[in-house]
Amino acid sequence: MINRVVLVGRLTKDVELRYTTSGAAVGTFSLAVNRQFTNSNGDRETDFINAVIWRKSAENFANFTSKGSLVAVEGRLQTRNYENQQGQRVYVTEVIVDNFSLLESRAESEQRRNQNNNNQSQGDFNSAPAQQNNFNAQQPQQGGFTPNQMYGNDATSFNEDDLPF
């Protein structure tokens, strides 16, 4: 049997890096991946795919990427489920990343990072509310999860042995 996934897309936000109680790093993130075809309106649709990366790779990935980074990831598809606080069964499908590649130069990455920082700081001085980007607006509809849902309410401290994978 074969279970391999290769994706090329952009990070929808910075990687959320956490550590297990035994000290293993775990990063969670979402990739925006464009579909190869257009819909009936001529628009290209985007899929938002959740992913998890572990240990030293997670630390490196979090250190060298930021929101909007163009990356390639390789891994395996995994499904799991849990019961949320309302007692409903929630099913999650995510990519467990084995390898990644950065697909833009350091200069491009730093330029985008500076633009993101400038946009955020300008929003602090502007009385108008910051506009929500399409990534965040569509993510909850994609069956996403938060680290608190995945690892319990104290997401900064969880036991690696309690994880479903």
Side-chain angles (χ1 to χ4, degrees):
M1 293 181 256
I2 299 172
N3 181 357
R4 294 308 301 162
V5 175
V6 177
L7 299 170
V8 174
R10 293 195 179 271
L11 293 179
T12 61
K13 60 183 179 178
D14 290 347
V15 176
E16 293 185 35
L17 187 63
R18 309 270 191 220
Y19 291 87
T20 65
T21 54
S22 62
V26 58
T28 56
F29 61 96
S30 178
L31 275 182
V33 180
N34 287 338
R35 294 185 181 171
Q36 293 292 342
F37 52 89
T38 57
N39 62 19
S40 59
N41 297 332
D43 297 326
R44 193 173 297 269
E45 295 181 8
T46 302
D47 292 306
F48 298 89
I49 301 170
N50 293 323
V52 178
I53 188 168
W54 285 89
R55 296 174 183 74
K56 187 65 176 173
S57 293
E59 292 175 326
N60 288 334
F61 192 73
N63 287 333
F64 292 108
T65 62
S66 62
K67 177 181 176 179
S69 293
L70 183 61
V71 298
V73 298
E74 179 186 357
R76 61 185 164 84
L77 200 59
Q78 180 172 286
T79 60
R80 60 185 174 82
N81 65 76
Y82 63 93
E83 193 171 301
N84 67 13
Q85 293 177 344
Q86 293 77 31
Q88 299 170 320
R89 180 71 41 202
V90 177
Y91 296 89
V92 178
T93 301
E94 58 202 355
V95 175
I96 307 302
V97 176
D98 296 327
N99 298 304
F100 69 89
S101 295
L102 307 176
L103 299 180
E104 58 190 2
S105 71
R106 174 178 269 172
E108 290 170 320
S109 179
E110 289 183 12
Q111 179 182 12
R112 188 191 56 268
R113 213 175 271 152
N114 290 337
Q115 288 174 338
N116 286 345
N117 289 340
N118 288 340
N119 290 342
Q120 288 174 357
S121 64
Q122 288 175 358
D124 293 341
F125 298 109
N126 189 348
S127 62
Q131 290 186 356
Q132 186 176 21
N133 65 33
N134 288 337
F135 297 136
N136 292 336
Q138 291 184 11
Q139 217 171 352
Q141 298 170 356
Q142 304 298 323
F145 63 92
T146 66
N148 288 345
Q149 291 169 326
M150 184 173 175
Y151 306 116
N153 289 333
D154 185 12
T156 58
S157 174
F158 51 87
N159 190 335
E160 188 173 337
D161 298 330
D162 295 335
L163 298 177
F165 42 86

